[in-house]
Amino acid sequence: MTGLALSNVEVVYDKVFLAIKGVSLEVGEGEMVALLGSNGAGKSTTLKAISGLLGPERGEITRGEIRFGDTDLRPLGAPARVDRGLVHVLEGRRVFGHLTPDENLVAAYRGGKAERSFEELRDEVYRYFPRLKERARSKAGYLSGGEQQMLAIGRALVTEPKLIMLDEPSLGLAPVLVAEIFAIIREINQKHGLTVLLVEQNAAATLEIVNRAYLIENGQIVMSGEAETLKRNPDVQEFYLGSG
Ligand code: ATP
């Protein structure tokens, strides 16, 4: 397998709090997979373990393996993982509010390490998110929540990723915007073959666009399968889709 594979990963915060308890999951190259769960289930912790944001001061990976293709990610810091094509869009649209969209994209560009020119990558981002181009002269802090989420995704795209991890992109957005952003993520996955790991609480919208999903509760994967199969599962319908 050439994608991402976690096997039995355990994260302990503050030396005592076991936040994820032996999580195993796979995302094949070109796949779009979701990790679904409620508040505090361990979704963000799982993404941080993959992207290398967990350090000794915030949490520790005490067990398990994390591989991306042939590479063992555990010894690598977060920047080295970005260089290998893994990018993490954090929860809460962290864009630079005092910079314009263009300047935000420049700040994310990998300069000498990049294969493509900045202009080419920026134009691609604006093709996906034409609203951002319209707002090119505004400071990002004045953009709407949806536009800031688009910019956060755009910043990830200019790092030329192979796999993008998105932490709750739908959070706080109106349903119509969620649909718009999810459709664009799907398009990027399908047209450009970008592998996607999507963390969400919004199971209904997410199961419409992903190939497969994992359900996490209290730090453990409790169910996984094809999106179509999960949608028909009575427990998923009752507890995740609110329609049991
Ligand atoms: P949310 O959607 O609220 O972010 P989540 O599924 O992403 O939920 P995590 O953020 O991964 O959940 O949190 C998992 C557990 O670990 C929770 O009980 C949370 O309180 C705890 N936790 C998260 N970050 C830390 C930290 N830095 N220090 C201590 N405990 C933490």
Side-chain angles (χ1 to χ4, degrees):
M1 132 141 212
T2 50
L4 175 76
L6 273 67
S7 150
N8 245 337
V9 175
E10 185 177 275
V11 171
V12 177
Y13 285 114
D14 304 324
K15 295 201 163 50
V16 289
F17 183 72
L18 190 53
I20 59 169
K21 311 165 187 171
V23 165
S24 298
L25 61 82
E26 289 185 359
V27 187
E29 197 177 333
E31 245 194 327
M32 181 149 171
V33 171
L35 179 61
L36 299 171
S38 54
N39 249 331
K43 305 180 300 297
S44 301
T45 299
T46 305
L47 286 197
K48 287 175 187 166
I50 301 167
S51 61
L53 292 181
L54 283 173
E57 72 286 0
R58 302 199 38 209
E60 233 167 332
I61 302 173
T62 44
R63 195 156 61 93
E65 283 199 358
I66 306 177
R67 302 191 75 83
F68 187 50
D70 295 332
T71 311
D72 177 3
L73 293 179
R74 286 171 308 169
L76 304 177
R81 297 187 200 197
V82 175
D83 287 340
R84 283 182 174 62
L86 281 158
V87 72
H88 181 176
V89 181
L90 292 164
E91 188 176 335
R93 320 161 192 142
R94 301 190 198 180
V95 296
F96 295 121
H98 59 291
L99 301 181
T100 64
D102 249 34
E103 291 163 345
N104 266 276
L105 297 178
V106 169
Y109 184 60
R110 292 186 311 124
K113 292 181 190 165
E115 280 178 21
R116 296 165 66 192
S117 72
F118 171 72
E119 289 71 21
E120 202 183 326
L121 290 162
R122 178 197 57 196
D123 292 349
E124 193 171 279
V125 169
Y126 287 155
R127 265 201 306 283
Y128 283 124
F129 300 109
R131 275 161 180 254
L132 286 182
K133 194 171 182 184
E134 289 163 23
R135 306 298 312 271
R137 289 191 199 157
S138 309
K139 300 244 188 268
Y142 294 120
L143 302 182
S144 71
E147 288 161 352
Q148 288 189 18
Q149 183 63 62
M150 293 172 189
L151 183 54
I153 298 170
R155 284 173 45 87
L157 293 176
V158 301
T159 69
E160 305 177 294
K162 298 190 179 89
L163 183 146
I164 187 169
M165 295 180 272
L166 299 153
D167 197 345
E168 298 208 37
S170 80
L171 199 71
L173 301 184
V176 59
L177 261 177
V178 174
E180 185 180 333
I181 289 179
F182 275 20
I184 295 167
I185 296 169
R186 185 76 182 139
E187 188 187 339
I188 296 169
N189 164 255
Q190 292 193 326
K191 281 206 190 138
H192 288 253
L194 181 62
T195 308
V196 180
L197 176 56
L198 178 59
V199 152
E200 268 294 339
Q201 288 193 42
N202 185 343
T206 303
L207 288 175
E208 292 303 322
I209 56 158
V210 296
N211 307 114
R212 291 190 301 115
Y214 292 84
L215 272 44
I216 185 167
E217 288 175 12
N218 293 317
Q220 283 176 308
I221 303 290
V222 292
M223 205 187 293
S224 64
E226 300 285 327
E228 288 308 313
T229 313
L230 290 173
K231 275 197 274 183
R232 288 195 301 270
N233 180 293
D235 287 337
V236 175
Q237 290 184 353
E238 181 173 354
F239 298 111
Y240 287 84
L241 301 173
S243 60

